[in-house]
Amino acid sequence: MDSGSHRSPVSFEQDGAIVRVGDDIERAELRIEIDGASGLEPALPDVFLFPVDEAVSVTVSQLRLEETFGQTLWDANGNQIGTIADGISDVPRGTYYASLTGAVKLHLRIEDATLWAEEHLDETGRSIVEMRFEEPTSVAIGARSLRSHPTATITVPDDPRALLDALPYLAASIKEHTCERSWPTIRQHPPALERGEQLEVPTELRAPETGIEIRIPPTYEHCYRVAPLAFYLGADVSAGESPALVLENGHVEPLKTRRADLAERVGDLLDRCLLLDSLVREAGYQPMGNAEYERLAPQLPFYPPNLYDLPPADQLLEYLEVPREVLDPFTPCWPKRAVLRPNPEDVAVLPSLLHELARIDVAHSPDAIPPTVPSDSTTGGGRDRGGEKRRSDALLTAHTFPAQVPGTCRLHPEAMERARTVERPTPDGASLTLATVDSARARSFRQFADQVRHETAVTVLEQPTAAALRDAVEADRTALYCENPTTEAGIHCADRTLPFDELGAVGSPVVWLADVAPGVTGEALVSAGAIAGILCDEPANQDAVFGALDQLCAGFSVADAVYTADVDRAVDVRFVGDASVTIVRRVSKTPTVVDVRSVDEDRYAFTIRSYPTDVVRQGTAVKPVSAEDVVGRVLEECNHDGYWLIGADAKQALPITTAEVASLVENDGFTVRLDGRLLTTADIGECPLQEVVQDGP
């Protein structure tokens, strides 16, 4: 049965004991295993606590779901009962609601039942949720597309005043303009922007009415800089002499002062709104027990739950009273800082950047683009090429200039568009091709292939011919890594140089050229179909390369994989296309780095940071989980603090031992860095991992 209407992106199909919930926009599917012979029947979408696109009902005694997260249960009045990860049992007969996030956002309405629910991890580390009922029970299943693609298009002429008028309509994709907007599933992809002769806004789009207005001079520079804040707040945008935030309660907040320019003020407001919204929402639909709440709330001039029902403008006025230094220790790292040009050519990239909640700046020259400085979890700073610590508030700097800027990503709108529709395999379905001209490196590549996690297929090409390398570039692989020297003339192979214009359609979403000469831009790869190109001035050490490839297959974005593996420690790295893309999908696991620092013999301090992905975006609250083993016991102690926002540094109070560090390395769910060096199972070799940990980097 297919119950999706012709306009709904969601569909339901039953195949025996399996119900497939499809999302046509995302080209994704979530499977529910049921018992009993009951068929699917249409259900009303308005019977749920949260909005859904489509719904069906079925009578079952048991449900089983794989690879979901954020599983929460509410009673009939919308009061939270608990999270399924903590186990649900002994609840009285009644009507309950459940919410789970997987490849599709799922909501359940369980009618007049006594139920048990639990989550466990299978032998591969996947999350399994099982729900059982005392007797056959009617369950309404509602689903909502995650909508990481635009579903409407706004046409704007090459006039900054027209863009200013269009900005409020981009926030029409946010389902609720309260503090709940901090949940990423509430913030769906904004409408696309295309250039045309006149302003045309689809009739189905409605600009929000939040009582918040942003006034700016009508220039592209000002429009781009305030766009993320206007989107998040659902603010009206109008022309004014100087940048200001105007609230319906009469308050006017300057957005440019002697102490802070417009970009800094917008960044500060985004920081505080997302963070404080995540505390106020504890009084809302899905209280998670945020770790930040317990530490930050006592320092605030207000009691966060009291703000939940206030109008957005009044909430914001309270937020403005909090000193910045109080918020700084808890502010998450942003996924991207994008530097745009002050002209209409960059209009097209704006919606995708807003969907990520990227920070946006504007420059008149590529000389003003700051390089990415990867954040160091233990100090809050970053490391430059000389080892000096510097602070960074974004995981990646990207730009739209036709220039080669080390440590940044040159954005391409077509690559960003392809990133939305890329087929993402699971780790055991991923495939890598590694090419080199060096025999010793080829041997180490084959050793890596033997030790790689999961069932990832690795092909090694030693001194490939031009024909062999062309076939590898065009093959349908997850990523291609190539150490062959590359110049503007092409890639040098065993028999001849392979010019870029001889390449057909690039089959790998990620192509890593590890030995490029100045002048090689990677533009040809993106034009031929690649989503992200990684360009290095020389091959990095093999441990960093293997670490980055391992990270890619663990679900990290391209840039995060490179930077967490410290590839840039000794070589220049730049990206082209969309380096924020995730090419391996791990729905129920968030890419997580455990930064470990030795403090004494057999004692290590550690910090945990979870990284955003295409599924788990800014505003998500997570806590790491594992099976009942050494790692599980370590994480149970960590989780006493509660959930942490994606991108925040969760410093742990209690140290861990050498054996516990070794167990974290062997666990598939985590990346471990010891004193700044990435550790992998490849470090084991013939030596016990505990000895590797004790010896240090």
Side-chain angles (χ1 to χ4, degrees):
M1 170 187 175
D2 185 344
S3 69
S5 71
H6 71 283
R7 298 191 63 183
S8 173
V10 167
S11 62
F12 296 85
E13 292 182 355
Q14 184 175 2
D15 182 8
I18 300 297
V19 176
R20 292 186 174 88
V21 187
D23 181 345
D24 292 340
I25 294 177
E26 300 297 308
R27 297 201 299 179
E29 181 182 271
L30 185 148
R31 292 157 54 97
I32 307 172
E33 186 177 335
I34 62 174
D35 68 343
S38 170
L40 302 180
E41 297 291 339
L44 295 174
D46 57 3
V47 301
F48 301 91
L49 288 180
F50 305 97
V52 300
D53 291 314
E54 203 73 32
V56 296
S57 66
V58 65
T59 299
V60 295
S61 298
Q62 184 169 317
L63 296 172
R64 186 177 188 271
L65 303 97
E66 298 179 356
E67 294 205 271
T68 63
F69 63 94
Q71 312 106 343
T72 309
L73 190 74
W74 293 267
D75 66 16
N77 297 317
N79 300 310
Q80 185 179 7
I81 300 297
T83 59
I84 295 175
D86 295 330
I88 302 291
S89 62
D90 299 326
V91 294
R93 175 178 291 274
T95 294
Y96 295 94
Y97 298 91
S99 173
L100 308 95
T101 302
V104 181
K105 184 68 179 180
L106 203 66
H107 295 289
L108 307 178
R109 185 179 190 271
I110 303 158
E111 186 77 26
D112 189 28
T114 301
L115 65 90
W116 295 262
E118 63 180 3
E119 179 192 32
H120 65 271
L121 303 181
D122 67 10
E123 64 277 2
T124 66
R126 294 182 305 172
S127 164
I128 305 295
V129 168
E130 293 185 349
M131 304 181 74
R132 300 184 301 278
F133 311 108
E134 192 172 62
E135 58 190 18
T137 297
S138 175
V139 178
I141 305 171
R144 184 173 77 241
S145 170
L146 295 179
R147 282 185 172 85
S148 63
H149 306 63
T151 56
T153 299
I154 299 173
T155 302
V156 289
D158 290 351
D159 178 354
R161 288 183 178 273
L163 178 59
L164 185 146
D165 291 338
L167 285 179
Y169 292 95
L170 297 179
S173 63
I174 298 179
K175 293 299 183 183
E176 188 169 329
H177 292 280
T178 68
C179 62
E180 304 289 355
R181 65 198 166 194
S182 55
W183 291 112
T185 54
I186 299 295
R187 301 189 312 271
Q188 299 184 339
H189 200 293
L193 291 175
E194 67 176 9
R195 296 162 70 189
E197 295 300 319
Q198 61 184 14
L199 179 63
E200 296 180 7
V201 179
T203 56
E204 67 268 22
L205 297 181
R206 295 287 184 271
E209 297 180 0
T210 60
I212 300 172
E213 179 186 359
I214 295 175
R215 294 177 185 168
I216 52 172
T219 70
Y220 283 108
E221 185 168 347
H222 287 87
C223 286
Y224 289 153
R225 281 190 165 129
V226 303
L229 185 63
F231 171 72
Y232 187 81
L233 295 179
D236 190 15
V237 184
S238 60
E241 290 187 6
S242 59
L245 187 68
V246 181
L247 307 183
E248 65 179 358
N249 51 33
H251 180 79
V252 177
E253 182 76 12
L255 292 180
K256 185 176 182 180
T257 66
R258 290 183 178 180
R259 300 180 62 181
D261 61 20
L262 178 60
E264 291 170 324
R265 291 290 287 129
V266 167
D268 170 74
L269 285 164
L270 272 175
D271 280 342
R272 68 177 59 233
C273 287
L274 181 72
L275 178 57
L276 294 174
D277 275 352
S278 74
L279 304 189
V280 175
R281 75 187 184 194
E282 285 292 297
Y285 302 136
Q286 195 163 333
M288 301 293 289
N290 278 21
E292 292 93 347
Y293 188 98
E294 296 300 323
R295 303 185 185 192
L296 179 55
Q299 304 180 59
L300 300 177
F302 52 80
Y303 179 54
N306 287 349
L307 271 57
Y308 186 81
D309 292 319
L310 291 183
D314 292 344
Q315 280 185 348
L316 184 53
L317 187 59
E318 296 288 343
Y319 292 177
L320 292 170
E321 295 298 317
V322 183
R324 176 72 203 196
E325 58 270 19
V326 172
L327 303 176
D328 274 341
F330 307 96
T331 301
C333 200
W334 292 91
K336 182 183 290 178
R337 176 190 296 278
V339 183
L340 306 185
R341 300 164 294 179
N343 59 46
E345 281 77 9
D346 288 346
V347 161
V349 302
L350 197 57
S352 291
L353 295 174
L354 300 186
H355 186 58
E356 292 182 72
L357 272 193
R359 299 279 287 272
I360 296 179
D361 208 342
V362 178
H364 294 266
S365 163
D367 295 336
I369 301 171
T372 300
V373 181
S375 181
D376 180 276
S377 299
T378 59
T379 66
R383 181 170 49 245
D384 67 13
R385 294 289 295 277
E388 179 185 352
K389 298 290 180 179
R390 291 189 296 172
R391 184 166 180 79
S392 173
D393 59 2
L395 297 172
L396 174 68
T397 295
H399 66 91
T400 53
F401 286 85
Q404 302 170 48
V405 183
T408 69
C409 177
R410 157 81 160 107
L411 288 175
H412 276 259
E414 61 268 31
M416 298 171 77
E417 186 172 342
R418 283 197 293 270
R420 303 186 199 123
T421 58
V422 63
E423 294 286 347
R424 296 176 174 89
T426 57
D428 56 3
S431 55
L432 305 173
T433 297
L434 314 181
T436 183
V437 296
D438 185 271
S439 298
R441 296 277 279 195
R443 285 194 297 273
S444 68
F445 287 176
R446 294 186 183 98
Q447 291 173 355
F448 169 74
D450 292 338
Q451 296 172 335
V452 71
R453 295 183 192 264
H454 315 293
E455 299 297 322
T456 300
V458 180
T459 300
V460 178
L461 300 179
E462 182 179 347
Q463 297 184 356
T465 63
L469 189 59
R470 182 179 60 242
D471 289 345
V473 172
E474 296 174 0
D476 183 12
R477 308 286 283 179
T478 307
L480 168 70
Y481 172 82
C482 178
E483 289 187 344
N484 290 42
T486 304
T487 65
E488 292 181 76
I491 306 173
H492 298 287
C493 300
D495 55 342
R496 65 182 180 89
T497 296
L498 174 63
F500 289 111
D501 60 11
E502 279 191 21
L503 296 175
V506 175
S508 296
V510 176
V511 178
W512 184 346
L513 299 180
D515 189 2
V516 301
V520 177
T521 65
E523 307 282 335
L525 296 172
V526 174
S527 297
I531 295 174
I534 309 170
L535 307 176
C536 298
D537 58 351
E538 61 180 291
N541 74 74
Q542 64 184 36
D543 289 341
V545 172
F546 296 159
L549 295 173
D550 209 34
Q551 300 290 74
L552 272 178
C553 293
F556 283 79
S557 74
V558 172
D560 289 342
V562 168
Y563 285 126
T564 56
D566 220 13
V567 172
D568 67 319
R569 177 187 285 268
V571 302
D572 276 331
V573 180
R574 51 192 165 90
F575 307 92
V576 61
D578 184 2
S580 295
V581 68
T582 302
I583 58 171
V584 171
R585 181 180 289 268
R586 304 191 73 180
V587 172
S588 61
K589 282 186 178 292
T590 306
T592 301
V593 171
V594 180
D595 263 300
V596 179
R597 179 172 53 87
S598 55
V599 293
D600 203 347
E601 185 176 352
D602 201 35
R603 284 166 52 87
Y604 300 85
F606 71 110
T607 299
I608 299 176
R609 173 189 282 178
S610 296
Y611 284 72
T613 69
D614 59 308
V615 173
V616 186
R617 295 185 291 117
Q618 208 76 358
T620 303
V622 297
K623 64 179 179 181
V625 296
S626 185
E628 295 295 328
D629 55 11
V630 174
V631 175
R633 291 194 296 274
V634 170
L635 297 180
E636 181 63 29
E637 189 64 43
C638 300
N639 291 338
H640 285 169
D641 286 339
Y643 289 79
W644 289 85
L645 287 175
I646 285 284
D649 291 334
K651 294 184 179 180
Q652 302 304 312
L654 298 178
I656 53 178
T657 66
T658 302
E660 289 168 336
V661 175
S663 295
L664 283 167
V665 176
E666 291 175 321
N667 188 285
D668 180 40
F670 308 97
T671 292
V672 179
R673 288 189 301 206
L674 173 60
D675 293 331
R677 175 205 167 192
L678 189 70
L679 293 180
T680 70
T681 51
D683 287 303
I684 300 174
E686 300 299 322
C687 179
L689 188 53
Q690 284 189 229
E691 293 183 20
V692 174
V693 173
Q694 287 173 326
D695 291 341

